């Protein structure tokens, strides 16, 4: 594809959103993204299954937030390139008054978002360029204040985002800062890739070998992903005696319905996630 008209775009460096688009069969990616995507898939062929399951988890969690919890505002950070069943489409199909603010740090994502992600007349969609590692700038942006009413609950969407935030950037502070700005009753929807369930030989290659895309990825264990939900009540997942689990589970198993198809092997997903509610 051409990058004409998109300022600030370096097509020689792979970007996670465009690589994800490539894995999902999209066309909004460049040679560097495809090279990186193929290099990762060579070491872990199930990455395409994991990417698809992540998209299904996003769809189910948005529906759950609107239909079962009654939250109608979304702060979607790390939006990714528009594809089928984007956050606002899923939400506004249930309630056209839903409002969504999309945030991403890839100029191509924002260009496509402005062109393709149109809201219902009753609701609202806005887009801003921001980096999750600097949450204060996102929270201070006028677009957030104009789009979302922070006196009412908000769904904070961090789907397949935090594994691109290094320990040096203090990912737990990032999530806590964002949640602190949201009122009681707000939700955290988070998914995070992990090496926990990947076959040992494949995990060893991903950890030990050099390939494009490795340097920006940070696997975390289930216990480490659970720490993002500290102080929140996990919703919508099974647990002992029906009381719900105290730890996030596999995204492929969270409120899965028959329309999502057969459950893939756990080793093919290896992504922890959940929906937590702020007290």
């Amino acid at each position: 594809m051409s990058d004409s008209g998109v300022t600030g775009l370096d097509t020689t460096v792979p970007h996670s959103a465009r690589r994800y688009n490539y894995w999902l069969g999209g066309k909004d990616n460049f040679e560097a993204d495809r090279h990186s995507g193929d290099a990762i898939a060579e070491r872990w062929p199930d990455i395409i299954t994991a990417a698809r399951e992540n998209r299904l988890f996003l769809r189910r969690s948005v529906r759950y937030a609107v239909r079962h919890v009654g939250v109608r505002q979304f702060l979607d950070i790390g939006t990714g390139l528009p594809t089928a069943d984007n956050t606002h489409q899923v939400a506004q199909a249930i309630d056209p008054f839903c409002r969504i603010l999309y945030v991403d740090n890839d100029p191509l994502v924002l260009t496509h978002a402005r062109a393709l992600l149109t809201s219902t007349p009753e609701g609202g969609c806005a887009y801003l360029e921001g980096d999750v590692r600097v949450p204060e700038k996102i929270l201070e942006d006028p677009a957030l204040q104009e789009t979302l009413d922070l006196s009412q609950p908000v769904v904070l969407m961090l789907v397949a985002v935090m594994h691109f935030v290094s320990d040096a950037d203090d990912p737990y502070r990032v999530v806590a800062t964002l949640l602190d700005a949201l009122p009681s009753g707000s939700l955290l929807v988070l998914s995070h890739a992990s090496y926990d369930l990947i076959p040992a030989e494949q995990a060893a290659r991903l950890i030990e070998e050099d390939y494009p895309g490795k340097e920006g990825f940070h696997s975390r264990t289930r216990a480490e992903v659970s720490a993002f939900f500290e102080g929140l009540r996990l919703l919508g997942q099974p647990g002992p005696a029906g009381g719900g689990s105290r730890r996030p589970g596999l995204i492929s198993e969270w409120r899965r319905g028959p329309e999502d198809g057969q459950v893939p092997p756990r080793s093919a997903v290896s992504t922890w996630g959940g929906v937590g509610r702020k007290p």
Side-chain angles (χ1 to χ4, degrees):
M1 65 167 291
S2 170
D3 62 336
S4 59
V6 183
T7 59
L9 179 63
D10 186 351
T11 63
T12 66
V13 178
H15 190 280
S16 57
R18 301 193 301 266
R19 184 171 56 226
Y20 187 65
N21 173 265
Y22 172 57
W23 284 331
L24 292 176
K27 298 180 179 179
D28 297 312
N29 48 74
F30 301 98
E31 183 178 354
D33 308 309
R34 296 187 287 273
H35 180 55
S36 174
D38 289 342
I40 295 171
E42 177 189 345
R43 291 157 176 82
W44 186 37
D46 286 320
I47 183 62
I48 295 173
T49 296
R52 290 172 178 167
E53 287 298 321
N54 195 70
R55 197 70 191 180
L56 291 174
F57 170 70
L58 181 148
R59 183 175 66 187
R60 293 196 300 269
S61 63
V62 170
R63 286 176 177 167
Y64 179 81
V66 178
R67 187 174 287 153
H68 296 283
V69 188
V71 184
R72 288 164 170 76
Q73 301 188 104
F74 294 81
L75 175 57
D76 188 339
I77 303 178
T79 304
L81 284 151
T83 182
D85 294 331
N86 300 288
T87 296
H88 78 286
Q89 292 169 320
V90 177
Q92 291 180 345
I94 301 170
D95 186 337
F97 286 90
C98 288
R99 303 184 66 80
I100 297 89
L101 177 65
Y102 289 111
V103 183
D104 207 284
N105 65 350
D106 181 3
L108 185 65
V109 168
L110 296 175
T111 297
H112 280 257
R114 293 187 178 101
L116 300 176
L117 302 184
T118 56
S119 172
T120 58
E122 301 91 340
C125 280
Y127 327 93
L128 68 89
E129 184 170 0
D131 192 321
V132 70
R133 292 169 294 187
V134 193
E136 295 84 0
K137 286 192 175 181
I138 295 173
L139 295 170
E140 294 167 359
D141 195 287
L144 186 145
Q145 308 297 330
E146 294 167 2
T147 308
L148 305 178
D149 177 2
L150 295 188
S151 70
Q152 299 297 317
V154 174
V155 183
L156 172 60
M157 305 285 294
L158 294 172
V159 177
V161 173
M162 297 310 295
H163 49 234
F164 297 116
V165 179
S166 69
D167 289 342
D169 288 312
D170 199 348
Y172 300 106
R173 183 199 69 84
V174 166
V175 175
T177 298
L178 292 165
L179 283 174
D180 285 347
L182 305 180
S184 174
S186 292
L187 304 181
L188 169 65
V189 174
L190 183 145
S191 64
H192 195 299
S194 173
Y195 292 147
D196 282 358
L197 303 177
I198 294 176
E201 291 184 3
Q202 295 178 3
R205 291 194 66 189
L206 289 167
I207 294 168
E208 297 168 6
E209 297 180 5
D210 290 325
Y211 51 91
K214 173 185 178 179
E215 61 279 357
F217 175 77
H218 307 278
S219 172
R220 292 186 174 93
T221 65
R222 186 182 187 184
E224 290 171 325
V225 176
S226 297
F228 287 113
F229 293 90
E230 186 71 30
L232 307 180
R233 179 191 174 199
L234 286 169
L235 304 179
Q237 55 192 56
S245 173
R246 294 184 178 181
R247 297 197 297 170
L250 278 180
I251 58 170
S252 52
E253 299 172 0
W254 189 88
R255 294 185 62 86
R256 192 180 190 88
E259 70 278 6
D260 295 323
Q262 186 175 356
V263 182
R266 292 167 66 88
S267 61
V269 181
S270 201
T271 302
W272 304 113
V275 176
R277 187 172 191 174
K278 182 177 178 179

